[in-house]
Amino acid sequence: MTAFSRVPAQPGDFIFDPNRVALLIIDMQRDFLYPGGFGESLGNDVALLRTVIEPLAGLLATARAAGIPVIHTREGHRPDLSDCPPAKLLRGDPAQRIGDPGRFGRILIRGEYGHDIIDELAPVDGEMVIDKPGKGAFYATELADALADRGIRSLLVTGVTTEVCVHTTVREANDRGFECLVVSDCVGSYFPEFQRVGLAMIAAQGGIFGWVADSAAVRAALTSAVSPSPAQ
């Protein structure tokens, strides 16, 4: 019989099977988090996103030690922009659009330095990296099949930004029957009010999209799930 694990969360305890849970790390990329990158070029304070790095690094270490599958995503496009619709390409500052030169290479283009994941959270061998052309991690990617192949039913969701790619992915996951716990100090926004409201929306109305808890609670549950039982 499977021993389920429990995380104290909002709006109630998040209960999961340690054998069917994965850590999903969304878009922790240099273009979004590094000073001088695309995010900062749009007038954003990247320090607000960088507060996520330390707690997420701790959670990542705990997940790896517990043998929990880790999946990273990167938002970006093919060099010829054939997978970037005009409705996305033409938004924003005309001088700083997807594919244009940036400090860390062409903005949000696969293979460029800025497109890759920050050094502090770099994937290790065996961890999946999903390249996605949209905000959500399920759209036009292999994520759904990868989770099904591994028997995953629950997701620990982290990354940036809370109100855009994190929210979109959680909504996509919810419609596909996955149970999502958003780790509050491991997701971030350039806008503090969006961060607050974005988290509140997840757990509203009895958990309309999922659950919310901090990384300390999640790490304790993961550690407990793999710790040997005390001698009787």
Side-chain angles (χ1 to χ4, degrees):
M1 180 178 295
T2 299
F4 286 86
S5 294
R6 184 183 302 266
V7 180
Q10 294 295 327
D13 288 355
F14 178 71
I15 300 170
F16 66 96
D17 179 347
N19 298 310
R20 303 187 73 183
V21 66
L23 174 62
L24 183 61
I25 304 177
I26 297 173
D27 300 359
M28 294 295 288
Q29 296 162 250
R30 297 177 181 126
D31 263 337
F32 297 137
L33 286 113
Y34 275 8
F38 180 47
E40 187 173 82
S41 76
L42 298 176
N44 297 309
D45 180 1
V46 296
L48 293 171
L49 296 195
R50 292 185 62 81
T51 62
V52 171
I53 297 174
E54 183 176 354
L56 182 46
L59 177 58
L60 176 58
T62 299
R64 286 169 172 166
I68 301 299
V70 177
I71 301 171
H72 306 257
T73 75
R74 300 181 295 200
E75 182 181 352
H77 299 277
R78 300 187 184 109
D80 65 1
L81 297 177
S82 60
D83 60 349
C84 185
K88 181 178 182 181
L89 183 62
L90 297 179
R91 290 178 188 167
D93 182 352
Q96 288 287 317
R97 287 185 169 150
I98 294 169
D100 288 344
R103 180 173 177 181
F104 302 129
R106 293 180 67 201
I107 294 168
L108 294 185
I109 296 298
R110 297 175 189 177
E112 298 286 344
Y113 181 78
H115 173 258
D116 212 351
I117 294 164
I118 62 174
D119 297 343
E120 297 93 327
L121 301 169
V124 299
D125 289 345
E127 293 178 353
M128 177 172 289
V129 179
I130 301 281
D131 282 317
K132 61 186 185 69
K135 304 296 191 290
F138 288 88
Y139 169 68
T141 75
E142 66 274 29
L143 179 57
D145 289 340
L147 295 174
D149 289 346
R150 290 160 176 78
I152 301 299
R153 297 308 311 158
S154 300
L155 297 172
L156 308 174
V157 183
T158 66
V160 299
T161 60
T162 305
E163 75 280 7
V164 183
C165 294
V166 171
H167 244 266
T168 304
T169 297
V170 168
R171 290 165 185 252
E172 290 179 327
N174 185 73
D175 284 346
R176 289 164 173 79
F178 294 97
E179 295 187 327
C180 295
L181 171 65
V182 176
V183 188
S184 58
D185 54 336
C186 293
V187 295
S189 172
Y190 296 122
F191 306 98
E193 183 65 6
F194 291 178
Q195 171 79 357
R196 183 188 69 79
V197 174
L199 291 173
M201 290 173 69
I202 296 293
Q205 299 182 66
I208 193 167
F209 293 120
W211 291 259
V212 176
D214 64 23
S215 61
V218 178
R219 293 179 70 181
L222 293 179
T223 300
S224 176
V226 298
S227 297
S229 300
Q232 299 297 319

